[in-house]
Amino acid sequence: MQAVATARAAKPPADALDAVLASLSARFGDRFTTSAAAREQHSSTLTWLDRQPPDAVVFPETTEEVSEIVRLCALHGAPVIPFGAGSSFEGHVNAPFGGVCVSTEQMTDIVAVNVEDLDAIVQPGVTRKALNAHLRDTGLFFPIDPGADASIGGMVATRASGTNAVRYGTMKDAVLGLTVVLASGEIARTGGRARKSSAGYDLTRLIAGSEGTLGIVTEVTLRLHGQPEAVAAGICAFPSVRAACEATIAAIQSGLPVARIELLDAAQVAACNAYSKLSLREVPTLFVEFHGSDASVREQSERFGEIAADVGGGPFDWATRAEDRSRLWQARHDAMWAAGALRPGAKPVPTDVCVPISRLADCVEETLADIADSGLQAPIVGHVGDGNFHCLPLVRTDDPAEVAACRRFVGRLVERALRLGGTTTGEHGVGQAKMAYLEAEHGAAAVEAMRAIKRALDPQNIMNPGKIVIP
Amino acid sequence: MQAVATARAAKPPADALDAVLASLSARFGDRFTTSAAAREQHSSTLTWLDRQPPDAVVFPETTEEVSEIVRLCALHGAPVIPFGAGSSFEGHVNAPFGGVCVSTEQMTDIVAVNVEDLDAIVQPGVTRKALNAHLRDTGLFFPIDPGADASIGGMVATRASGTNAVRYGTMKDAVLGLTVVLASGEIARTGGRARKSSAGYDLTRLIAGSEGTLGIVTEVTLRLHGQPEAVAAGICAFPSVRAACEATIAAIQSGLPVARIELLDAAQVAACNAYSKLSLREVPTLFVEFHGSDASVREQSERFGEIAADVGGGPFDWATRAEDRSRLWQARHDAMWAAGALRPGAKPVPTDVCVPISRLADCVEETLADIADSGLQAPIVGHVGDGNFHCLPLVRTDDPAEVAACRRFVGRLVERALRLGGTTTGEHGVGQAKMAYLEAEHGAAAVEAMRAIKRALDPQNIMNPGKIVIP
């Protein structure tokens, strides 16, 4: 890499910021605010990190309006912080250098659904649930399911995934094309509606996961899937986390097309029992789902039952009724709130890592031992088919000692994942909270390449500064 | 984008080049050559483009040796052209500014196969067939199948795909991580063995498809799949290209997990009959394959037969015996040679585009009319499940008028694909031959972003210069 002077962000001079705010106020009227409540609400709320509110929030409706806003900010060197549903965990929407939060809350058009091509074009503020409600009668669905009703734009930005990723992939697989407002305010279109392309650098996947640091996503072309004819889902208890992981590996290796396979440790099962009024055995448990024809989901469920029995687990208690399935997955999605209810006054501080699946049992067992040693309460849930799991430390965030202990725990968790051949984050992203680990994961040359790309595409460092890399 | 002076490549001064060649000769001995035959063999052989041989060819064995070579070339400003199996079509391995061809022919180690994690780590010179031969007894396979026995490194570079992509994805999906020697000679590691990651910019997918213009891939971590328990494959005739496309759309929309679905137009069926000694009806035909359990491939084949019948096609004549399938797919893979045999003295000049599947019938029909109008002979084969198809114009490449007519035909084909919402190339890549169309596809802002990335990662423009974009 060539040597380039470090371009750290700084707060813009007060008069430059005033000029930006005055122009935006005049241009956007009641779609612009500097109220303390709105600014607070548009900074990170789901982490232990201190909130760092922006100076203002603006609510554009079109790509062209976003372009206008970014041009203005670029002219005055003001930071631009994109905001979707605010459901990210790692401080992505904090504004450490102030600036303008660009909320996509009013960009909720579903521009097109192309049933024959299994794709849709949406504005970034559309949430995944709103999209699926819209798709219900088309026979199609959008499978990426991170739990929260996240916005599609935010999901692109963090390269989100969730429970269905083992079968349907992550946002990197779901995004066919993007409209992006670059740091200059220029509007770029990447990818398109073709299912695949080898036409030049893959800007679509460079932007996906860039957390708003290279541009703001203003339109997304998504790949959809046919609603399965039949769905079977169920619960399977195991004598240990290791046995649950072994069953998962065997299922995937044998080519069973698992749609979802989720691990809950004993602590999380207990939390779900209490919160969601279930009566599961409080042992390591897999929630499993299959998609296919009536005959194939039956066959798959039976085969999974045999695989589970081979490692001492089971029985695999499955059903195809929609009500039974919904109750199960609602409980899974409420895991964070269920965990939170275990310790009143504390906040669940979700963090995630991902390791090769063969090391998952090691990683979870070591983490359980760490939790026991450190006296933390931190249930575990995992997208075990991907080797991805979440810890939910329950932290009194007003107690600096607890926050510091939690930080150290996360540091050990990341170090463990890297030692086992894994990654700092499987799906939550880097944000502010995981920047410190990036070089340990990727090495100096790769991180310097990321910095070079950031400098090339955002020379003033105005796009969501202070996230992922310091250019 | 910021304005940056255009950095066009140029041949290095003769004394600089001499210094590079002398150093490489001293360092690599008989793994270095300037022989005319070797230089010729390492320039493009499968296109109509004039061959532009490099000044020398070097055969490193390790990442560190590649790094040494690139450092030396960077010091003297000499171009570096990576070379895999030489099976690409668009002039990717030409050396318009001379320089050093880095052949990966001797980088053929399979470094690791992790059966539990369904991944493998290979050097870039391993070919897909060599990898699958190595995997045979593991229960795993590598599904990406572009026809030719391409090198894995070359397949990464062009973001290759092929017949299995409709089910297993393309190289962008198959690559978990890379080791890359950057333009400075530094060694960067991207991605890793975790199934998914949100840890920073997706350098893995930026390098995949960058055709050696951002670095040389020296190690690849690949995602593998379980060998299916059962495979059913067969042939289905249709009254028209449109009917074949409609059956494909219906199959995919209904969630049938098609593993391969390949269209041959009547001309290509005739060519295959003659070349591969088949006796197929010379009408538009789909070659289709399903992977699953014995019961599920039977169910899928029967359902596909019903779908074909609905649009007037069929019967779907399928079998599960390996010999029958092999014969079928060998004929499919020999399509290029079969087409070539239709016109002795001419060379098939394969080109590809990809459109949304709903527009595929339009695109193929318009293209057939264009072929008829222009008096070309150009059979069509397509990965119809992706909306991707190939034309194989048969051209006497020593006749400038024929070459010019073929160029114009390709221009019209690309224009048609873009008009129908598609892409310039679904899987062959840009190389030299399709650079002119990049801006029409992506727009000025996106292409300028590509240029900015190229300048940031290769400021001297030494990495495979004259391909994809002129920085």
Side-chain angles (χ1 to χ4, degrees):
Chain A
M1 302 295 49
Q2 68 193 129
V4 172
T6 304
R8 287 178 188 272
K11 284 187 188 285
D15 55 343
L17 185 64
D18 288 347
V20 168
L21 302 190
S23 295
L24 289 176
S25 177
R27 168 67 179 80
F28 288 93
D30 62 4
R31 292 192 284 133
F32 171 84
T33 177
T34 55
S35 85
R39 291 166 49 222
E40 189 79 3
Q41 189 205 329
H42 287 81
S43 58
S44 282
T45 55
L46 291 173
T47 65
W48 59 47
L49 300 163
D50 290 335
R51 292 193 195 187
Q52 297 166 315
D55 293 302
V57 187
V58 61
F59 300 88
E61 292 172 354
T62 64
T63 295
E64 290 65 29
E65 286 187 351
V66 174
S67 168
E68 266 187 75
I69 296 163
V70 176
R71 273 181 206 279
L72 184 70
C73 289
L75 185 66
H76 295 283
V80 178
I81 302 96
F83 187 96
S87 53
S88 71
F89 293 127
E90 303 293 359
H92 297 95
V93 296
N94 261 341
F97 308 101
V100 178
C101 171
V102 178
S103 168
T104 59
E105 189 184 295
Q106 295 185 22
M107 298 180 78
T108 55
D109 283 354
I110 295 174
V111 180
V113 175
N114 302 297
V115 174
E116 288 196 319
D117 295 313
L118 289 82
D119 69 46
I121 302 176
V122 303
Q123 285 193 307
V126 173
T127 68
R128 66 177 187 89
K129 287 186 184 173
L131 177 58
N132 274 324
H134 184 90
L135 292 173
R136 196 163 292 140
D137 298 332
T138 63
L140 304 179
F141 81 119
F142 172 65
I144 316 288
D145 172 9
D149 191 19
S151 72
I152 300 293
M155 290 171 67
V156 173
T158 54
R159 209 183 293 133
S161 49
T163 59
N164 279 310
V166 62
R167 169 139 181 184
Y168 297 97
T170 76
M171 283 307 279
K172 92 172 154 50
D173 309 298
V175 178
L176 291 169
L178 297 171
T179 302
V180 187
V181 173
L182 301 172
S184 59
E186 278 182 288
I187 299 164
R189 293 196 166 78
T190 77
R193 288 187 53 236
R195 231 7 72 147
K196 65 186 191 187
S197 172
S198 286
Y201 303 154
D202 189 349
L203 298 181
T204 305
R205 263 146 290 271
L206 179 64
I207 297 295
S210 68
E211 304 182 4
T213 65
L214 302 178
I216 302 186
V217 171
T218 60
E219 199 168 271
V220 186
T221 303
L222 289 170
R223 184 176 179 162
L224 305 175
H225 293 263
Q227 290 169 12
E229 181 186 311
V231 175
I235 286 172
C236 195
F238 288 87
S240 64
V241 161
R242 187 165 294 277
C245 291
E246 281 168 3
T248 305
I249 292 173
I252 288 173
Q253 233 174 340
S254 75
L256 261 194
V258 187
R260 292 165 149 169
I261 187 159
E262 299 280 309
L263 172 70
L264 285 71
D265 76 346
Q268 184 65 53
V269 174
C272 288
N273 274 344
Y275 187 87
S276 301
K277 317 252 177 300
L278 303 176
S279 51
L280 303 176
R281 279 171 58 204
E282 295 181 358
V283 296
T285 298
L286 291 178
F287 286 18
V288 185
E289 186 167 285
F290 295 102
H291 295 175
S293 66
D294 280 320
S296 72
V297 300
R298 174 173 300 276
E299 186 191 16
Q300 290 163 33
S301 299
E302 284 165 1
R303 285 182 62 196
F304 183 77
E306 292 162 18
I307 287 169
D310 282 347
V311 296
F316 178 46
D317 179 20
W318 60 278
T320 56
R321 292 201 321 155
E323 310 86 272
D324 299 339
R325 294 198 321 265
S326 297
R327 185 142 173 261
L328 180 68
W329 293 113
Q330 191 56 49
R332 167 62 189 89
H333 285 332
D334 287 341
M336 189 173 87
W337 311 115
L342 289 176
R343 189 177 175 216
K347 181 171 167 176
V349 177
T351 188
D352 89 308
V353 293
C354 186
V355 295
I357 192 172
S358 67
R359 311 312 302 271
L360 184 64
D362 293 338
C363 200
V364 173
E365 285 183 351
E366 285 185 33
T367 304
L368 288 170
D370 186 351
I371 290 168
D373 287 350
S374 55
L376 280 171
Q377 216 173 342
I380 287 177
V381 289
H383 309 311
V384 71
D386 299 316
N388 180 210
F389 71 97
H390 305 258
C391 274
L392 305 169
L394 304 174
V395 180
R396 295 219 164 87
T397 50
D398 53 359
D399 178 343
E402 281 206 13
V403 170
C406 180
R407 269 185 204 279
R408 290 193 299 273
F409 169 75
V410 171
R412 293 192 300 275
L413 177 63
V414 169
E415 199 177 282
R416 185 177 305 130
L418 295 182
R419 173 165 47 78
L420 296 171
T423 177
T424 302
T425 168
E427 58 182 26
H428 289 179
V430 177
Q432 297 178 306
K434 288 190 163 168
M435 290 174 75
Y437 310 114
L438 222 53
E439 195 158 316
E441 175 167 348
H442 298 291
V447 173
E448 180 49 31
M450 293 185 199
R451 285 195 194 101
I453 291 165
K454 169 74 171 165
R455 289 190 298 265
L457 296 184
D458 179 17
Q460 290 192 91
N461 192 20
I462 60 167
M463 299 308 299
N464 208 7
K467 319 294 162 64
I468 302 188
V469 287
I470 304 294
Chain B
M1 298 302 43
Q2 67 192 135
V4 173
T6 304
R8 289 182 185 269
K11 284 189 188 282
D15 57 342
L17 185 67
D18 288 347
V20 168
L21 301 190
S23 296
L24 289 177
S25 176
R27 168 67 179 80
F28 288 92
D30 61 4
R31 291 191 286 132
F32 171 84
T33 176
T34 55
S35 85
R39 291 164 52 222
E40 189 78 3
Q41 187 206 331
H42 287 81
S43 58
S44 282
T45 55
L46 290 173
T47 66
W48 60 47
L49 300 163
D50 290 335
R51 293 193 194 187
Q52 296 166 315
D55 292 304
V57 187
V58 61
F59 300 88
E61 292 172 354
T62 64
T63 296
E64 291 66 30
E65 286 187 352
V66 174
S67 169
E68 266 187 76
I69 296 163
V70 176
R71 273 182 205 280
L72 184 70
C73 289
L75 185 66
H76 296 282
V80 177
I81 302 97
F83 187 96
S87 53
S88 71
F89 294 126
E90 303 292 359
H92 297 95
V93 296
N94 261 341
F97 308 101
V100 177
C101 171
V102 178
S103 167
T104 59
E105 187 184 297
Q106 295 184 22
M107 298 180 77
T108 55
D109 282 354
I110 295 173
V111 179
V113 175
N114 302 297
V115 174
E116 289 197 320
D117 295 313
L118 288 84
D119 69 45
I121 301 176
V122 302
Q123 285 194 306
V126 173
T127 68
R128 66 176 187 90
K129 287 186 184 172
L131 177 58
N132 275 324
H134 184 90
L135 293 173
R136 196 164 292 139
D137 298 332
T138 63
L140 304 180
F141 82 118
F142 172 64
I144 317 288
D145 171 10
D149 191 19
S151 72
I152 300 293
M155 289 171 67
V156 173
T158 54
R159 209 183 292 132
S161 49
T163 59
N164 279 309
V166 62
R167 169 140 182 185
Y168 296 97
T170 76
M171 283 306 281
K172 91 173 156 46
D173 309 297
V175 177
L176 291 168
L178 297 172
T179 301
V180 188
V181 173
L182 300 172
S184 59
E186 279 182 286
I187 298 164
R189 294 197 164 77
T190 77
R193 289 187 52 235
R195 228 15 64 149
K196 65 187 192 187
S197 172
S198 286
Y201 302 154
D202 190 348
L203 298 181
T204 305
R205 263 147 291 270
L206 179 64
I207 297 296
S210 68
E211 305 182 1
T213 64
L214 302 177
I216 303 187
V217 170
T218 60
E219 201 168 89
V220 186
T221 303
L222 289 170
R223 183 175 180 165
L224 305 175
H225 293 262
Q227 289 167 9
E229 182 186 310
V231 175
I235 287 172
C236 196
F238 287 87
S240 64
V241 161
R242 187 165 295 275
C245 291
E246 282 168 3
T248 305
I249 292 173
I252 288 173
Q253 236 176 337
S254 75
L256 260 195
V258 186
R260 292 166 150 169
I261 188 159
E262 299 280 308
L263 172 69
L264 285 70
D265 76 347
Q268 184 66 52
V269 174
C272 288
N273 274 345
Y275 187 87
S276 300
K277 317 252 176 303
L278 303 176
S279 50
L280 303 176
R281 278 171 58 204
E282 295 181 0
V283 295
T285 299
L286 291 178
F287 285 18
V288 185
E289 186 166 284
F290 296 102
H291 296 175
S293 65
D294 280 320
S296 73
V297 299
R298 175 173 299 276
E299 186 191 16
Q300 289 164 33
S301 299
E302 284 165 2
R303 287 181 62 198
F304 183 76
E306 292 161 18
I307 288 169
D310 282 348
V311 296
F316 178 44
D317 178 22
W318 60 278
T320 57
R321 291 201 323 155
E323 308 85 272
D324 298 339
R325 295 199 319 267
S326 298
R327 185 142 174 262
L328 181 67
W329 293 112
Q330 192 55 49
R332 167 63 189 87
H333 284 332
D334 287 341
M336 188 173 89
W337 312 115
L342 288 176
R343 190 177 175 216
K347 181 170 166 176
V349 176
T351 188
D352 89 309
V353 293
C354 186
V355 294
I357 191 171
S358 68
R359 311 312 303 272
L360 183 64
D362 293 338
C363 199
V364 173
E365 285 183 351
E366 285 185 34
T367 304
L368 288 170
D370 186 350
I371 290 168
D373 286 351
S374 56
L376 280 170
Q377 215 173 344
I380 287 178
V381 290
H383 309 312
V384 71
D386 300 316
N388 180 209
F389 70 96
H390 304 257
C391 275
L392 306 168
L394 304 174
V395 180
R396 294 221 163 87
T397 51
D398 53 358
D399 177 344
E402 282 207 13
V403 170
C406 181
R407 270 186 203 279
R408 290 193 299 272
F409 170 76
V410 171
R412 292 192 300 274
L413 177 63
V414 169
E415 200 177 279
R416 185 176 306 129
L418 296 181
R419 173 165 48 79
L420 296 171
T423 178
T424 302
T425 168
E427 59 182 26
H428 289 180
V430 177
Q432 297 178 307
K434 287 189 163 169
M435 291 175 75
Y437 309 113
L438 221 53
E439 195 157 316
E441 174 165 350
H442 299 292
V447 173
E448 180 50 32
M450 292 185 197
R451 285 195 194 102
I453 291 165
K454 169 73 172 168
R455 288 191 297 265
L457 297 183
D458 180 18
Q460 291 192 89
N461 192 19
I462 60 168
M463 300 308 298
N464 209 6
K467 319 293 162 67
I468 301 188
V469 287
I470 304 293

